[in-house]
mmCIF file of all heavy atoms in Angstrom:
data_model
loop_
_atom_site.group_PDB
_atom_site.id
_atom_site.type_symbol
_atom_site.label_atom_id
_atom_site.label_comp_id
_atom_site.label_asym_id
_atom_site.label_seq_id
_atom_site.Cartn_x
_atom_site.Cartn_y
_atom_site.Cartn_z
ATOM 1 N N SER S 226 -18.972 12.508 -20.208
ATOM 2 C CA SER S 226 -17.749 12.274 -19.412
ATOM 3 C C SER S 226 -16.697 13.386 -19.651
ATOM 4 O O SER S 226 -15.552 13.050 -19.829
ATOM 5 C CB SER S 226 -17.195 10.876 -19.711
ATOM 6 O OG SER S 226 -18.134 9.908 -19.351
ATOM 7 N N LEU S 227 -17.092 14.636 -19.719
ATOM 8 C CA LEU S 227 -16.190 15.719 -20.073
ATOM 9 C C LEU S 227 -15.187 16.050 -18.962
ATOM 10 O O LEU S 227 -14.119 16.385 -19.262
ATOM 11 C CB LEU S 227 -17.094 16.966 -20.479
ATOM 12 C CG LEU S 227 -17.911 16.858 -21.738
ATOM 13 C CD1 LEU S 227 -18.753 18.058 -21.881
ATOM 14 C CD2 LEU S 227 -17.031 16.626 -22.955
ATOM 15 N N VAL S 228 -15.669 15.962 -17.767
ATOM 16 C CA VAL S 228 -14.845 16.372 -16.674
ATOM 17 C C VAL S 228 -14.890 15.304 -15.565
ATOM 18 O O VAL S 228 -15.891 14.950 -15.136
ATOM 19 C CB VAL S 228 -15.219 17.758 -16.073
ATOM 20 C CG1 VAL S 228 -14.306 18.144 -14.969
ATOM 21 C CG2 VAL S 228 -15.135 18.817 -17.174
ATOM 22 N N ARG S 229 -13.737 14.862 -15.166
ATOM 23 C CA ARG S 229 -13.637 13.921 -13.975
ATOM 24 C C ARG S 229 -12.476 14.489 -13.118
ATOM 25 O O ARG S 229 -11.482 14.976 -13.613
ATOM 26 C CB ARG S 229 -13.345 12.517 -14.436
ATOM 27 C CG ARG S 229 -14.553 11.766 -15.032
ATOM 28 C CD ARG S 229 -15.636 11.559 -13.960
ATOM 29 N NE ARG S 229 -16.754 10.827 -14.513
ATOM 30 C CZ ARG S 229 -17.827 11.361 -15.118
ATOM 31 N NH1 ARG S 229 -17.832 12.666 -15.275
ATOM 32 N NH2 ARG S 229 -18.791 10.573 -15.527
ATOM 33 N N PHE S 230 -12.636 14.287 -11.785
ATOM 34 C CA PHE S 230 -11.648 14.786 -10.830
ATOM 35 C C PHE S 230 -10.976 13.586 -10.195
ATOM 36 O O PHE S 230 -11.618 12.572 -9.836
ATOM 37 C CB PHE S 230 -12.301 15.691 -9.782
ATOM 38 C CG PHE S 230 -12.666 17.005 -10.318
ATOM 39 C CD1 PHE S 230 -13.942 17.296 -10.746
ATOM 40 C CD2 PHE S 230 -11.746 18.080 -10.360
ATOM 41 C CE1 PHE S 230 -14.331 18.524 -11.168
ATOM 42 C CE2 PHE S 230 -12.089 19.342 -10.845
ATOM 43 C CZ PHE S 230 -13.398 19.539 -11.229
ATOM 44 N N PHE S 231 -9.641 13.779 -10.003
ATOM 45 C CA PHE S 231 -8.833 12.737 -9.258
ATOM 46 C C PHE S 231 -8.589 13.226 -7.939
ATOM 47 O O PHE S 231 -7.897 14.252 -7.692
ATOM 48 C CB PHE S 231 -7.513 12.531 -10.006
ATOM 49 C CG PHE S 231 -6.748 11.315 -9.553
ATOM 50 C CD1 PHE S 231 -6.617 10.170 -10.347
ATOM 51 C CD2 PHE S 231 -6.141 11.340 -8.301
ATOM 52 C CE1 PHE S 231 -5.932 9.101 -9.962
ATOM 53 C CE2 PHE S 231 -5.389 10.232 -7.894
ATOM 54 C CZ PHE S 231 -5.278 9.179 -8.655
ATOM 55 N N PRO S 232 -9.150 12.596 -6.821
ATOM 56 C CA PRO S 232 -8.934 13.107 -5.451
ATOM 57 C C PRO S 232 -7.533 12.852 -5.034
ATOM 58 O O PRO S 232 -7.014 11.684 -5.230
ATOM 59 C CB PRO S 232 -9.964 12.306 -4.630
ATOM 60 C CG PRO S 232 -10.263 11.076 -5.433
ATOM 61 C CD PRO S 232 -10.079 11.503 -6.893
ATOM 62 N N LEU S 233 -6.796 13.819 -4.488
ATOM 63 C CA LEU S 233 -5.426 13.661 -4.149
ATOM 64 C C LEU S 233 -5.111 13.973 -2.716
ATOM 65 O O LEU S 233 -5.376 15.070 -2.247
ATOM 66 C CB LEU S 233 -4.532 14.482 -5.040
ATOM 67 C CG LEU S 233 -3.027 14.396 -4.772
ATOM 68 C CD1 LEU S 233 -2.493 13.063 -4.928
ATOM 69 C CD2 LEU S 233 -2.263 15.383 -5.642
ATOM 70 N N ASN S 234 -4.584 12.942 -1.962
ATOM 71 C CA ASN S 234 -4.160 13.145 -0.609
ATOM 72 C C ASN S 234 -2.650 12.936 -0.591
ATOM 73 O O ASN S 234 -2.223 11.802 -0.695
ATOM 74 C CB ASN S 234 -4.890 12.160 0.344
ATOM 75 C CG ASN S 234 -4.394 12.230 1.785
ATOM 76 O OD1 ASN S 234 -3.481 12.983 2.081
ATOM 77 N ND2 ASN S 234 -5.087 11.503 2.637
ATOM 78 N N LEU S 235 -1.922 13.993 -0.440
ATOM 79 C CA LEU S 235 -0.438 13.925 -0.547
ATOM 80 C C LEU S 235 0.171 13.140 0.614
ATOM 81 O O LEU S 235 1.383 12.759 0.557
ATOM 82 C CB LEU S 235 0.167 15.292 -0.647
ATOM 83 C CG LEU S 235 -0.054 16.062 -1.982
ATOM 84 C CD1 LEU S 235 0.592 17.464 -1.852
ATOM 85 C CD2 LEU S 235 0.469 15.323 -3.121
ATOM 86 N N LYS S 236 -0.595 12.851 1.604
ATOM 87 C CA LYS S 236 -0.058 12.044 2.731
ATOM 88 C C LYS S 236 -0.163 10.556 2.412
ATOM 89 O O LYS S 236 0.315 9.689 3.192
ATOM 90 C CB LYS S 236 -0.784 12.356 4.017
ATOM 91 C CG LYS S 236 -0.592 13.779 4.525
ATOM 92 C CD LYS S 236 -1.330 14.080 5.834
ATOM 93 C CE LYS S 236 -0.976 15.462 6.320
ATOM 94 N NZ LYS S 236 -1.741 15.752 7.628
ATOM 95 N N ASN S 237 -0.856 10.234 1.350
ATOM 96 C CA ASN S 237 -0.997 8.823 0.917
ATOM 97 C C ASN S 237 -0.110 8.601 -0.288
ATOM 98 O O ASN S 237 -0.457 9.027 -1.392
ATOM 99 C CB ASN S 237 -2.477 8.625 0.593
ATOM 100 C CG ASN S 237 -2.788 7.155 0.283
ATOM 101 O OD1 ASN S 237 -1.955 6.382 -0.235
ATOM 102 N ND2 ASN S 237 -4.007 6.700 0.627
ATOM 103 N N GLU S 238 1.009 7.927 -0.068
ATOM 104 C CA GLU S 238 1.936 7.634 -1.171
ATOM 105 C C GLU S 238 1.299 6.849 -2.305
ATOM 106 O O GLU S 238 1.646 7.057 -3.495
ATOM 107 C CB GLU S 238 3.194 6.913 -0.651
ATOM 108 C CG GLU S 238 4.157 7.807 0.116
ATOM 109 C CD GLU S 238 4.857 8.779 -0.813
ATOM 110 O OE1 GLU S 238 5.197 8.386 -1.956
ATOM 111 O OE2 GLU S 238 5.085 9.931 -0.395
ATOM 112 N N GLU S 239 0.447 5.894 -2.009
ATOM 113 C CA GLU S 239 -0.195 5.066 -2.976
ATOM 114 C C GLU S 239 -1.067 5.931 -3.938
ATOM 115 O O GLU S 239 -1.127 5.729 -5.074
ATOM 116 C CB GLU S 239 -0.940 3.934 -2.304
ATOM 117 C CG GLU S 239 -1.538 2.956 -3.359
ATOM 118 C CD GLU S 239 -2.268 1.827 -2.673
ATOM 119 O OE1 GLU S 239 -2.118 1.601 -1.457
ATOM 120 O OE2 GLU S 239 -2.960 1.032 -3.397
ATOM 121 N N ASN S 240 -1.756 6.860 -3.254
ATOM 122 C CA ASN S 240 -2.670 7.755 -4.017
ATOM 123 C C ASN S 240 -1.905 8.596 -5.001
ATOM 124 O O ASN S 240 -2.227 8.721 -6.160
ATOM 125 C CB ASN S 240 -3.405 8.608 -2.954
ATOM 126 C CG ASN S 240 -4.426 9.603 -3.623
ATOM 127 O OD1 ASN S 240 -4.743 10.644 -3.097
ATOM 128 N ND2 ASN S 240 -5.073 9.151 -4.788
ATOM 129 N N LEU S 241 -0.764 9.122 -4.512
ATOM 130 C CA LEU S 241 0.141 9.920 -5.403
ATOM 131 C C LEU S 241 0.709 9.046 -6.503
ATOM 132 O O LEU S 241 0.814 9.496 -7.685
ATOM 133 C CB LEU S 241 1.209 10.613 -4.558
ATOM 134 C CG LEU S 241 2.224 11.406 -5.366
ATOM 135 C CD1 LEU S 241 1.555 12.562 -6.089
ATOM 136 C CD2 LEU S 241 3.289 12.037 -4.391
ATOM 137 N N ALA S 242 1.166 7.856 -6.218
ATOM 138 C CA ALA S 242 1.723 6.952 -7.151
ATOM 139 C C ALA S 242 0.736 6.598 -8.278
ATOM 140 O O ALA S 242 1.061 6.587 -9.469
ATOM 141 C CB ALA S 242 2.205 5.683 -6.510
ATOM 142 N N ASP S 243 -0.534 6.414 -7.900
ATOM 143 C CA ASP S 243 -1.548 6.053 -8.889
ATOM 144 C C ASP S 243 -1.778 7.280 -9.876
ATOM 145 O O ASP S 243 -2.007 7.098 -11.005
ATOM 146 C CB ASP S 243 -2.892 5.775 -8.156
ATOM 147 C CG ASP S 243 -2.875 4.396 -7.494
ATOM 148 O OD1 ASP S 243 -1.942 3.585 -7.800
ATOM 149 O OD2 ASP S 243 -3.681 4.166 -6.588
ATOM 150 N N LEU S 244 -1.846 8.504 -9.246
ATOM 151 C CA LEU S 244 -1.984 9.676 -10.076
ATOM 152 C C LEU S 244 -0.833 9.858 -11.098
ATOM 153 O O LEU S 244 -1.034 10.089 -12.284
ATOM 154 C CB LEU S 244 -2.094 10.911 -9.199
ATOM 155 C CG LEU S 244 -2.055 12.258 -9.986
ATOM 156 C CD1 LEU S 244 -3.174 12.382 -10.934
ATOM 157 C CD2 LEU S 244 -2.052 13.436 -8.985
ATOM 158 N N LEU S 245 0.397 9.647 -10.585
ATOM 159 C CA LEU S 245 1.548 9.816 -11.465
ATOM 160 C C LEU S 245 1.601 8.749 -12.565
ATOM 161 O O LEU S 245 2.058 9.021 -13.709
ATOM 162 C CB LEU S 245 2.849 9.804 -10.639
ATOM 163 C CG LEU S 245 3.058 11.017 -9.691
ATOM 164 C CD1 LEU S 245 4.316 10.791 -8.907
ATOM 165 C CD2 LEU S 245 3.101 12.239 -10.521
ATOM 166 N N LEU S 246 1.125 7.556 -12.225
ATOM 167 C CA LEU S 246 1.037 6.471 -13.182
ATOM 168 C C LEU S 246 0.095 6.913 -14.323
ATOM 169 O O LEU S 246 0.347 6.672 -15.537
ATOM 170 C CB LEU S 246 0.642 5.190 -12.577
ATOM 171 C CG LEU S 246 0.443 3.953 -13.486
ATOM 172 C CD1 LEU S 246 1.782 3.647 -14.215
ATOM 173 C CD2 LEU S 246 -0.056 2.760 -12.739
ATOM 174 N N THR S 247 -1.008 7.475 -13.962
ATOM 175 C CA THR S 247 -2.019 7.916 -14.950
ATOM 176 C C THR S 247 -1.404 9.001 -15.830
ATOM 177 O O THR S 247 -1.581 8.951 -17.019
ATOM 178 C CB THR S 247 -3.241 8.481 -14.160
ATOM 179 O OG1 THR S 247 -3.891 7.497 -13.380
ATOM 180 C CG2 THR S 247 -4.290 9.030 -15.185
ATOM 181 N N ILE S 248 -0.741 9.980 -15.226
ATOM 182 C CA ILE S 248 -0.133 11.069 -16.037
ATOM 183 C C ILE S 248 0.959 10.519 -16.921
ATOM 184 O O ILE S 248 1.075 10.925 -18.075
ATOM 185 C CB ILE S 248 0.409 12.160 -15.127
ATOM 186 C CG1 ILE S 248 -0.753 12.830 -14.342
ATOM 187 C CG2 ILE S 248 1.183 13.185 -15.881
ATOM 188 C CD1 ILE S 248 -0.349 13.824 -13.322
ATOM 189 N N ASP S 249 1.788 9.633 -16.361
ATOM 190 C CA ASP S 249 2.894 9.036 -17.199
ATOM 191 C C ASP S 249 2.342 8.314 -18.394
ATOM 192 O O ASP S 249 2.927 8.378 -19.466
ATOM 193 C CB ASP S 249 3.759 8.123 -16.257
ATOM 194 C CG ASP S 249 4.551 8.845 -15.284
ATOM 195 O OD1 ASP S 249 4.672 10.105 -15.380
ATOM 196 O OD2 ASP S 249 5.099 8.219 -14.377
ATOM 197 N N ASN S 250 1.276 7.611 -18.242
ATOM 198 C CA ASN S 250 0.611 6.921 -19.397
ATOM 199 C C ASN S 250 0.132 7.931 -20.402
ATOM 200 O O ASN S 250 0.219 7.655 -21.603
ATOM 201 C CB ASN S 250 -0.488 6.071 -18.884
ATOM 202 C CG ASN S 250 -0.050 4.810 -18.147
ATOM 203 O OD1 ASN S 250 1.037 4.338 -18.377
ATOM 204 N ND2 ASN S 250 -0.893 4.266 -17.328
#
Side-chain angles (χ1 to χ4, degrees):
S226 299
L227 294 176
V228 179
R229 286 293 183 271
F230 288 95
F231 192 108
L233 178 60
N234 178 353
L235 289 178
K236 294 182 179 180
N237 185 330
E238 283 291 322
E239 185 177 349
N240 185 208
L241 178 59
D243 288 344
L244 171 62
L245 292 178
L246 178 60
T247 298
I248 295 173
D249 288 349
N250 287 335

